[in-house]
Each structure stands twice: as structure tokens, then as C-alpha cells.
Amino acid sequence: MFHTIETLPADPILGLNQTFQKDNNPEKINLSVGVYQNASGQTPIFSAVKKAEQQLIDGQMTKTYAPQAGDPAFLDHIARLLLSTPVVAQLGDRLATVMTPGGCGALRMGAELLVSTGFKGKVWVSNPTWANHFPLLQSAGLSLTTYRYYDANIRGVDFAAMLEDLQQIPEGDVVLLHGCCHNPTGADITPEQWDQVINVLAERKLVPFIDVAYQGFGQGLDEDAYGVRQAVAKLPEVLIANSCSKNFGLYRERTGAVMMLCESAKQTNAAKSHVMSAARRCYSMSPYHGGGIVGHLLSDDVLTVEWKTELNQVRERMQMLRQGLAEGLNQAQSKMNFDFVARSNGMFCYLGIPRDDVLTLRSDFAIYLLESTRINIAGLSEDNLPVIVERVSEVLTR
Ligand code: LMR
């Protein structure tokens, strides 16, 4: 059976992280995979999450199956956290939420739903987009193509080009949008630009599939949800993939949700039945633990306040690190201006240096960033920032 099977190339993000783990250089620096690290290089458990987890475990009397769609408290609270309580009330039974194994599971279940409707159009993704969007959605049977988004010359979104491309998309196609903190570029559209995008989606009868993996990592929990909230308020059909990996720090617990908004409660019910059927044939039901923690935490006002305070600290620290990197690089060399690093949002940005320099940073200094030049801002620290500034400036001016 397996005599002829060939080993596949490593995943561009997880593979680089593994290479980093194996590197014996004591001075190595990991700016690859999107994981938050504190000043000591640890990925701590949020203290509110730890307390919620303990209370959950203490109160748990059984390990029997949870409802297949997920913990009801989780489903209720996660929809309200993302879309707000009044918007969820307004949508009523037109909105359904199903827990999934992480944001990847949500994307995959959304893709399975699209395939099950007989959808034959294309899913349009930003150029560039998160590397895993392609295999994740294509292997469900969807066909992907790109719309223009990031312009390396202006080191930001070329919004005119984006809008022009969206206006050409055939009616009924699906447009994948990053809810906030665009991965990999960190370049987001403004609220006014979201309004314009939503108008085009409405005019052209396009269906948004909004990937929200970093709510609270950009400008704030509500600010980061502007686009997705406007989309559900204004459009008849919306798909959402939500992740709790980053904002609750639940990476390994694989906690996410797919949300479906259809024109009627009847359609939503039918769509949900297809998601549940897809889950059943792929993995039956999502792991419970992470959703149990989030549901418990968000049901408790004190824990919720504590978590929001911690999340704010994480966001502010990342903004401080961005600022520090931009200023440090601008002062240390004059070949490139790095102001855009301070302007970008969330966990990532493109450093925009030549690809050869990325490889030199890895080979000569054990500084790991993706070949696209994406860096994980949360991999920076007060300690390693001066080293990174020095090394990047050195390779740039060699
Ligand atoms: C990333 O982009 O680094 C994260 O979303 C982790 C992952 O699974 O790729």
C-alpha cells in the first residue's frame, strides 16, 4: 500500500516553526508562526481563561457527549461577542452558530456548506492571503482565485484596485474577507472602506465569507468587528469563520465557530443541517473543552472584565513592539523607511525586505521569518528587538 507514497513538502508556516524548534543556536529568534509571546518569550494562559478552566473542571460531573453543535453557552456568547447583543437579537433565527475545531474547522465547514449547496462559482481571496486558505478550501472542492489587495509599493491596501476587482466578480460568487488584522500583511481596510465593500457585495449579489481570527488584536473587540457587523446587518447571506485561538489564547484546544446568516430562518436551519452533517462525516463533533472554557468565562461578568483587560494589555504590547521596530529600523539604516510597520494592524506585517535577506537572516543569525517576509509581531520582545534591528539593518546594507 505505502511503497510508492512520497513525503510531502512541509507546511510553509508550521514547517518553518519546526525547523526553528530544531535549531540549536541559543540566540535563535522565532518570528514565524502566529503565536503570542510575552516579554519572557512565553505564551502564557490568560489568567481569566485559567480560572474559567478550573471552575469548569471542578463543576464537571460527566464526560458524556455535549450537544453536537457545541456548548450552548459558548454558541450564545461567541455570537454576541463578535456580532454584539443587539445585532444577534435583530438577526434572530436567521443566524446559526456551530462550534468547530478552531478557525480552520470553521473555514472547512463553511467550505463544505458551500459545496453541499451545489455552488459552482469561485471563492475570491485577497492577494495575498493566509497560506492555508488555499489547501483548506480547495480540498473541500472549491475553486479559488484572487482579487487585488496589497500593494508592495505603497506598503498598504490598494483599495481602488480591490474595489475595481470586486466590481468585476460574477454575481453569486463568494468573497473571502479578513475581518481584521489581515494575515499576512497587517494591512486592513478602514470602516469607510468596509462600507464601500459591503455596498459592492450587495450590488453584485456576492456572498462574503469573513475570516475573523484576531478579534481584539487590532484596535479593540468592537472596532475589529466593524466590518463583520455591518455585513450581517446589511447583506442577506453571510458566512463567518471565527477563531478563539489568539484572543483567548486557546491555540491547542482548537476552539472556533462557523456562523451562517441566510435570508430566512428556514434556509438557516437547512444550512445548519448541512454543516452538522459535514461535521458528522469528518469528525462527528468538535472537541468540547475550549468552547466550555469560553462559554463559562463569558457567562461570568468578573472573568469577562479580567479577560478583556488582559486582551487589551496584549494588544497594547504588540502596538508598542510595532512602534519600537519601526523606529529602531528607521534610525539604524536609511535604505528603507519602515513607518508602515507601525501603521499595520494585529499580529503580522510584511517586512518588505528582499527575499534573499530573509534567507540570510535565517542562515547567518537564526532569525526566522516567512519567505513572504511576514513577521509575527508578537515574536518581538524588549530583549530581542535591538538584536533584530541590528541584524535586519546589517543584511539590508551589506
Ligand atoms: C499563522 O498564520 O501563523 C497562524 O494562523 C497559525 C497557523 O495555523 O498558520
Side-chain angles (χ1 to χ4, degrees), residues 115-130:
V115 171
S116 71
T117 64
F119 173 68
K120 294 275 181 289
K122 289 202 176 338
V123 177
W124 295 75
V125 299
S126 61
N127 183 16
T129 194
W130 181 47

Side-chain angles (χ1 to χ4, degrees), residues 206-328:
L206 304 172
V207 179
F209 190 176
I210 308 182
D211 186 357
V212 191
Y214 300 92
Q215 189 192 2
F217 267 42
Q219 300 298 317
L221 281 166
D222 290 324
E223 293 86 340
D224 292 351
Y226 179 83
V228 71
R229 288 180 189 175
Q230 290 298 313
V232 295
K234 304 232 165 90
L235 297 171
E237 297 179 337
V238 180
L239 274 178
I240 302 165
N242 189 219
S243 169
C244 300
S245 294
K246 314 294 182 331
N247 56 3
F248 287 90
L250 282 169
Y251 308 89
R252 65 172 63 173
E253 303 298 354
R254 311 308 302 134
T255 310
V258 62
M259 299 180 197
M260 294 142 266
L261 179 75
C262 305
E263 283 190 85
S264 69
K266 187 165 171 259
Q267 289 173 15
T268 300
N269 208 32
K272 182 177 168 188
S273 76
H274 282 273
V275 166
M276 305 281 275
S277 162
R280 180 67 172 154
R281 61 180 185 263
C282 294
Y283 52 76
S284 190
M285 65 190 74
S286 189
Y288 169 82
H289 193 64
I293 295 170
V294 172
H296 187 82
L297 190 158
L298 293 176
S299 308
D300 181 309
D301 290 345
V302 176
L303 289 180
T304 301
V305 169
E306 186 174 337
W307 167 71
K308 286 185 178 174
T309 306
E310 291 179 275
L311 183 60
N312 274 339
Q313 286 162 356
V314 162
R315 187 182 64 253
E316 280 165 10
R317 182 159 178 276
M318 286 192 297
Q319 278 166 353
M320 187 235 353
L321 292 166
R322 277 180 182 284
Q323 197 76 37
L325 184 63
E327 282 168 12

Side-chain angles (χ1 to χ4, degrees), residues 13-14 32-34 130 183 214 246 348 374:
I13 299 174
L14 302 182
S32 66
V33 69
W130 181 47
N183 181 4
Y214 300 92
K246 314 294 182 331
F348 305 109
R374 187 193 86 168

